[in-house]
PDB file of all heavy atoms in Angstrom:
ATOM      1  N   SER E 216     -15.173  20.489  13.436  1.00 81.00           N
ATOM      2  CA  SER E 216     -14.278  21.517  12.770  1.00 81.00           C
ATOM      3  C   SER E 216     -14.851  21.732  11.394  1.00 81.00           C
ATOM      4  O   SER E 216     -14.977  20.968  10.512  1.00 81.00           O
ATOM      5  CB  SER E 216     -12.881  20.885  12.705  1.00 81.00           C
ATOM      6  OG  SER E 216     -12.173  21.740  11.937  1.00 81.00           O
ATOM      7  N   SER E 217     -15.133  23.121  11.222  1.00 78.00           N
ATOM      8  CA  SER E 217     -15.704  23.456   9.921  1.00 78.00           C
ATOM      9  C   SER E 217     -14.740  23.216   8.832  1.00 78.00           C
ATOM     10  O   SER E 217     -15.157  22.729   7.661  1.00 78.00           O
ATOM     11  CB  SER E 217     -16.143  24.980  10.040  1.00 78.00           C
ATOM     12  OG  SER E 217     -16.536  25.511   8.735  1.00 78.00           O
ATOM     13  N   ASN E 218     -13.512  23.640   9.029  1.00 80.00           N
ATOM     14  CA  ASN E 218     -12.521  23.575   7.844  1.00 80.00           C
ATOM     15  C   ASN E 218     -12.246  22.054   7.527  1.00 80.00           C
ATOM     16  O   ASN E 218     -12.021  21.732   6.424  1.00 80.00           O
ATOM     17  CB  ASN E 218     -11.268  24.334   8.183  1.00 80.00           C
ATOM     18  CG  ASN E 218     -10.404  23.656   9.260  1.00 80.00           C
ATOM     19  OD1 ASN E 218      -9.588  22.829   8.994  1.00 80.00           O
ATOM     20  ND2 ASN E 218     -10.553  24.110  10.519  1.00 80.00           N
ATOM     21  N   THR E 219     -12.232  21.214   8.577  1.00 86.00           N
ATOM     22  CA  THR E 219     -12.027  19.774   8.332  1.00 86.00           C
ATOM     23  C   THR E 219     -13.222  19.234   7.544  1.00 86.00           C
ATOM     24  O   THR E 219     -12.949  18.344   6.623  1.00 86.00           O
ATOM     25  CB  THR E 219     -11.746  19.039   9.596  1.00 86.00           C
ATOM     26  OG1 THR E 219     -10.732  19.774  10.408  1.00 86.00           O
ATOM     27  CG2 THR E 219     -11.174  17.672   9.407  1.00 86.00           C
ATOM     28  N   ASN E 220     -14.310  19.590   7.892  1.00 87.00           N
ATOM     29  CA  ASN E 220     -15.508  19.027   7.380  1.00 87.00           C
ATOM     30  C   ASN E 220     -15.577  19.433   5.809  1.00 87.00           C
ATOM     31  O   ASN E 220     -16.116  18.692   4.981  1.00 87.00           O
ATOM     32  CB  ASN E 220     -16.840  19.436   8.001  1.00 87.00           C
ATOM     33  CG  ASN E 220     -16.965  18.759   9.366  1.00 87.00           C
ATOM     34  OD1 ASN E 220     -16.605  17.616   9.479  1.00 87.00           O
ATOM     35  ND2 ASN E 220     -17.681  19.355  10.256  1.00 87.00           N
ATOM     36  N   LYS E 221     -15.116  20.659   5.585  1.00 85.00           N
ATOM     37  CA  LYS E 221     -15.029  21.143   4.187  1.00 85.00           C
ATOM     38  C   LYS E 221     -14.095  20.250   3.370  1.00 85.00           C
ATOM     39  O   LYS E 221     -14.324  19.983   2.166  1.00 85.00           O
ATOM     40  CB  LYS E 221     -14.645  22.576   4.073  1.00 85.00           C
ATOM     41  CG  LYS E 221     -15.540  23.624   4.818  1.00 85.00           C
ATOM     42  CD  LYS E 221     -16.893  23.671   4.015  1.00 85.00           C
ATOM     43  CE  LYS E 221     -17.673  24.826   4.596  1.00 85.00           C
ATOM     44  NZ  LYS E 221     -18.004  24.656   5.973  1.00 85.00           N
ATOM     45  N   LEU E 222     -12.993  19.803   3.965  1.00 88.00           N
ATOM     46  CA  LEU E 222     -12.072  18.951   3.316  1.00 88.00           C
ATOM     47  C   LEU E 222     -12.737  17.624   2.961  1.00 88.00           C
ATOM     48  O   LEU E 222     -12.525  17.039   1.893  1.00 88.00           O
ATOM     49  CB  LEU E 222     -10.806  18.826   4.076  1.00 88.00           C
ATOM     50  CG  LEU E 222     -10.008  19.990   4.467  1.00 88.00           C
ATOM     51  CD1 LEU E 222      -8.704  19.613   5.224  1.00 88.00           C
ATOM     52  CD2 LEU E 222      -9.548  20.731   3.243  1.00 88.00           C
ATOM     53  N   TYR E 223     -13.530  17.180   3.943  1.00 90.00           N
ATOM     54  CA  TYR E 223     -14.213  15.803   3.813  1.00 90.00           C
ATOM     55  C   TYR E 223     -15.218  15.836   2.610  1.00 90.00           C
ATOM     56  O   TYR E 223     -15.239  15.031   1.794  1.00 90.00           O
ATOM     57  CB  TYR E 223     -14.921  15.562   5.092  1.00 90.00           C
ATOM     58  CG  TYR E 223     -15.769  14.224   5.047  1.00 90.00           C
ATOM     59  CD1 TYR E 223     -15.245  12.961   4.897  1.00 90.00           C
ATOM     60  CD2 TYR E 223     -17.142  14.422   5.006  1.00 90.00           C
ATOM     61  CE1 TYR E 223     -15.992  11.836   4.755  1.00 90.00           C
ATOM     62  CE2 TYR E 223     -17.990  13.234   4.957  1.00 90.00           C
ATOM     63  CZ  TYR E 223     -17.324  12.011   4.922  1.00 90.00           C
ATOM     64  OH  TYR E 223     -18.117  10.890   4.837  1.00 90.00           O
ATOM     65  N   GLU E 224     -15.988  17.028   2.614  1.00 88.00           N
ATOM     66  CA  GLU E 224     -16.926  17.181   1.466  1.00 88.00           C
ATOM     67  C   GLU E 224     -16.212  17.327   0.091  1.00 88.00           C
ATOM     68  O   GLU E 224     -16.810  16.760  -0.808  1.00 88.00           O
ATOM     69  CB  GLU E 224     -17.780  18.412   1.748  1.00 88.00           C
ATOM     70  CG  GLU E 224     -18.752  18.273   3.114  1.00 88.00           C
ATOM     71  CD  GLU E 224     -19.266  19.684   3.381  1.00 88.00           C
ATOM     72  OE1 GLU E 224     -19.079  20.781   2.746  1.00 88.00           O
ATOM     73  OE2 GLU E 224     -20.036  19.683   4.461  1.00 88.00           O
ATOM     74  N   LEU E 225     -15.237  18.011   0.067  1.00 89.00           N
ATOM     75  CA  LEU E 225     -14.525  18.238  -1.163  1.00 89.00           C
ATOM     76  C   LEU E 225     -13.925  16.940  -1.609  1.00 89.00           C
ATOM     77  O   LEU E 225     -13.954  16.510  -2.858  1.00 89.00           O
ATOM     78  CB  LEU E 225     -13.397  19.201  -1.016  1.00 89.00           C
ATOM     79  CG  LEU E 225     -12.602  19.687  -2.342  1.00 89.00           C
ATOM     80  CD1 LEU E 225     -13.701  20.317  -3.192  1.00 89.00           C
ATOM     81  CD2 LEU E 225     -11.544  20.737  -1.888  1.00 89.00           C
ATOM     82  N   ALA E 226     -13.318  16.036  -0.696  1.00 89.00           N
ATOM     83  CA  ALA E 226     -12.768  14.795  -1.248  1.00 89.00           C
ATOM     84  C   ALA E 226     -13.886  13.812  -1.727  1.00 89.00           C
ATOM     85  O   ALA E 226     -13.563  13.082  -2.661  1.00 89.00           O
ATOM     86  CB  ALA E 226     -12.073  14.115   0.157  1.00 89.00           C
ATOM     87  N   LEU E 227     -15.092  13.910  -1.113  1.00 91.00           N
ATOM     88  CA  LEU E 227     -16.220  13.040  -1.616  1.00 91.00           C
ATOM     89  C   LEU E 227     -16.532  13.324  -3.061  1.00 91.00           C
ATOM     90  O   LEU E 227     -17.011  12.505  -3.799  1.00 91.00           O
ATOM     91  CB  LEU E 227     -17.399  13.227  -0.750  1.00 91.00           C
ATOM     92  CG  LEU E 227     -17.465  12.466   0.608  1.00 91.00           C
ATOM     93  CD1 LEU E 227     -18.650  12.832   1.419  1.00 91.00           C
ATOM     94  CD2 LEU E 227     -17.421  10.978   0.402  1.00 91.00           C
ATOM     95  N   LYS E 228     -16.346  14.582  -3.541  1.00 89.00           N
ATOM     96  CA  LYS E 228     -16.642  14.900  -4.911  1.00 89.00           C
ATOM     97  C   LYS E 228     -15.764  14.169  -5.956  1.00 89.00           C
ATOM     98  O   LYS E 228     -16.173  13.946  -6.992  1.00 89.00           O
ATOM     99  CB  LYS E 228     -16.468  16.460  -5.167  1.00 89.00           C
ATOM    100  CG  LYS E 228     -17.528  17.230  -4.408  1.00 89.00           C
ATOM    101  CD  LYS E 228     -17.289  18.740  -4.678  1.00 89.00           C
ATOM    102  CE  LYS E 228     -17.624  18.955  -6.195  1.00 89.00           C
ATOM    103  NZ  LYS E 228     -17.565  20.418  -6.511  1.00 89.00           N
ATOM    104  N   TYR E 229     -14.564  13.798  -5.565  1.00 90.00           N
ATOM    105  CA  TYR E 229     -13.529  13.209  -6.498  1.00 90.00           C
ATOM    106  C   TYR E 229     -13.114  11.824  -6.092  1.00 90.00           C
ATOM    107  O   TYR E 229     -12.315  11.148  -6.856  1.00 90.00           O
ATOM    108  CB  TYR E 229     -12.335  14.142  -6.618  1.00 90.00           C
ATOM    109  CG  TYR E 229     -12.668  15.542  -6.886  1.00 90.00           C
ATOM    110  CD1 TYR E 229     -12.763  16.543  -5.971  1.00 90.00           C
ATOM    111  CD2 TYR E 229     -12.919  15.846  -8.250  1.00 90.00           C
ATOM    112  CE1 TYR E 229     -13.109  17.836  -6.385  1.00 90.00           C
ATOM    113  CE2 TYR E 229     -13.250  17.156  -8.666  1.00 90.00           C
ATOM    114  CZ  TYR E 229     -13.244  18.103  -7.665  1.00 90.00           C
ATOM    115  OH  TYR E 229     -13.679  19.437  -8.000  1.00 90.00           O
ATOM    116  N   CYS E 230     -13.608  11.326  -5.003  1.00 92.00           N
ATOM    117  CA  CYS E 230     -13.181   9.915  -4.490  1.00 92.00           C
ATOM    118  C   CYS E 230     -14.381   9.242  -3.850  1.00 92.00           C
ATOM    119  O   CYS E 230     -15.084   9.903  -2.969  1.00 92.00           O
ATOM    120  CB  CYS E 230     -11.969   9.966  -3.579  1.00 92.00           C
ATOM    121  SG  CYS E 230     -11.497   8.397  -3.034  1.00 92.00           S
ATOM    122  N   ASN E 231     -14.662   8.003  -4.143  1.00 90.00           N
ATOM    123  CA  ASN E 231     -15.737   7.366  -3.627  1.00 90.00           C
ATOM    124  C   ASN E 231     -15.546   6.757  -2.173  1.00 90.00           C
ATOM    125  O   ASN E 231     -16.491   6.358  -1.466  1.00 90.00           O
ATOM    126  CB  ASN E 231     -16.283   6.108  -4.594  1.00 90.00           C
ATOM    127  CG  ASN E 231     -16.675   6.702  -5.881  1.00 90.00           C
ATOM    128  OD1 ASN E 231     -17.342   7.664  -5.872  1.00 90.00           O
ATOM    129  ND2 ASN E 231     -16.474   5.903  -6.898  1.00 90.00           N
ATOM    130  N   ASN E 232     -14.279   6.743  -1.827  1.00 89.00           N
ATOM    131  CA  ASN E 232     -13.927   6.115  -0.618  1.00 89.00           C
ATOM    132  C   ASN E 232     -13.227   7.079   0.368  1.00 89.00           C
ATOM    133  O   ASN E 232     -11.934   7.262   0.350  1.00 89.00           O
ATOM    134  CB  ASN E 232     -12.924   4.819  -0.786  1.00 89.00           C
ATOM    135  CG  ASN E 232     -13.544   3.790  -1.785  1.00 89.00           C
ATOM    136  OD1 ASN E 232     -14.674   3.264  -1.537  1.00 89.00           O
ATOM    137  ND2 ASN E 232     -12.881   3.749  -2.968  1.00 89.00           N
ATOM    138  N   VAL E 233     -14.005   7.794   1.095  1.00 90.00           N
ATOM    139  CA  VAL E 233     -13.575   8.882   2.020  1.00 90.00           C
ATOM    140  C   VAL E 233     -13.885   8.500   3.466  1.00 90.00           C
ATOM    141  O   VAL E 233     -15.126   8.326   3.710  1.00 90.00           O
ATOM    142  CB  VAL E 233     -13.993  10.218   1.518  1.00 90.00           C
ATOM    143  CG1 VAL E 233     -13.406  11.304   2.527  1.00 90.00           C
ATOM    144  CG2 VAL E 233     -13.581  10.525   0.120  1.00 90.00           C
ATOM    145  N   PHE E 234     -13.052   8.532   4.379  1.00 91.00           N
ATOM    146  CA  PHE E 234     -13.218   8.215   5.808  1.00 91.00           C
ATOM    147  C   PHE E 234     -13.023   9.360   6.600  1.00 91.00           C
ATOM    148  O   PHE E 234     -11.869   9.876   6.608  1.00 91.00           O
ATOM    149  CB  PHE E 234     -12.491   6.954   6.146  1.00 91.00           C
ATOM    150  CG  PHE E 234     -12.909   5.739   5.224  1.00 91.00           C
ATOM    151  CD1 PHE E 234     -12.065   5.623   4.138  1.00 91.00           C
ATOM    152  CD2 PHE E 234     -13.888   4.968   5.454  1.00 91.00           C
ATOM    153  CE1 PHE E 234     -12.264   4.433   3.223  1.00 91.00           C
ATOM    154  CE2 PHE E 234     -14.162   3.851   4.575  1.00 91.00           C
ATOM    155  CZ  PHE E 234     -13.400   3.678   3.598  1.00 91.00           C
ATOM    156  N   ARG E 235     -13.865   9.687   7.520  1.00 91.00           N
ATOM    157  CA  ARG E 235     -13.704  10.807   8.461  1.00 91.00           C
ATOM    158  C   ARG E 235     -13.286  10.276   9.712  1.00 91.00           C
ATOM    159  O   ARG E 235     -13.994   9.504  10.519  1.00 91.00           O
ATOM    160  CB  ARG E 235     -15.060  11.568   8.654  1.00 91.00           C
ATOM    161  CG  ARG E 235     -15.004  12.789   9.450  1.00 91.00           C
ATOM    162  CD  ARG E 235     -14.342  13.928   8.670  1.00 91.00           C
ATOM    163  NE  ARG E 235     -14.607  15.206   9.352  1.00 91.00           N
ATOM    164  CZ  ARG E 235     -13.861  15.567  10.333  1.00 91.00           C
ATOM    165  NH1 ARG E 235     -12.863  14.867  10.851  1.00 91.00           N
ATOM    166  NH2 ARG E 235     -14.157  16.764  10.834  1.00 91.00           N
ATOM    167  N   LEU E 236     -12.163  10.672  10.398  1.00 89.00           N
ATOM    168  CA  LEU E 236     -11.561  10.302  11.512  1.00 89.00           C
ATOM    169  C   LEU E 236     -11.335  11.541  12.522  1.00 89.00           C
ATOM    170  O   LEU E 236     -10.664  12.445  12.131  1.00 89.00           O
ATOM    171  CB  LEU E 236     -10.254   9.631  11.349  1.00 89.00           C
ATOM    172  CG  LEU E 236     -10.116   8.558  10.255  1.00 89.00           C
ATOM    173  CD1 LEU E 236      -8.679   8.085  10.080  1.00 89.00           C
ATOM    174  CD2 LEU E 236     -11.109   7.331  10.428  1.00 89.00           C
ATOM    175  N   ALA E 237     -11.921  11.331  13.788  1.00 85.00           N
ATOM    176  CA  ALA E 237     -11.663  12.387  14.783  1.00 85.00           C
ATOM    177  C   ALA E 237     -10.165  12.115  15.353  1.00 85.00           C
ATOM    178  O   ALA E 237      -9.444  13.111  15.556  1.00 85.00           O
ATOM    179  CB  ALA E 237     -12.656  12.248  15.899  1.00 85.00           C
TER     180      ALA E 237
END
Side-chain angles (χ1 to χ4, degrees):
S216 168
S217 173
N218 71 85
T219 309
N220 288 331
K221 295 295 186 303
L222 299 181
Y223 175 72
E224 294 169 2
L225 188 59
L227 279 174
K228 291 183 63 176
Y229 303 100
C230 181
N231 294 325
N232 307 297
V233 182
F234 303 92
R235 186 75 168 80
L236 312 176

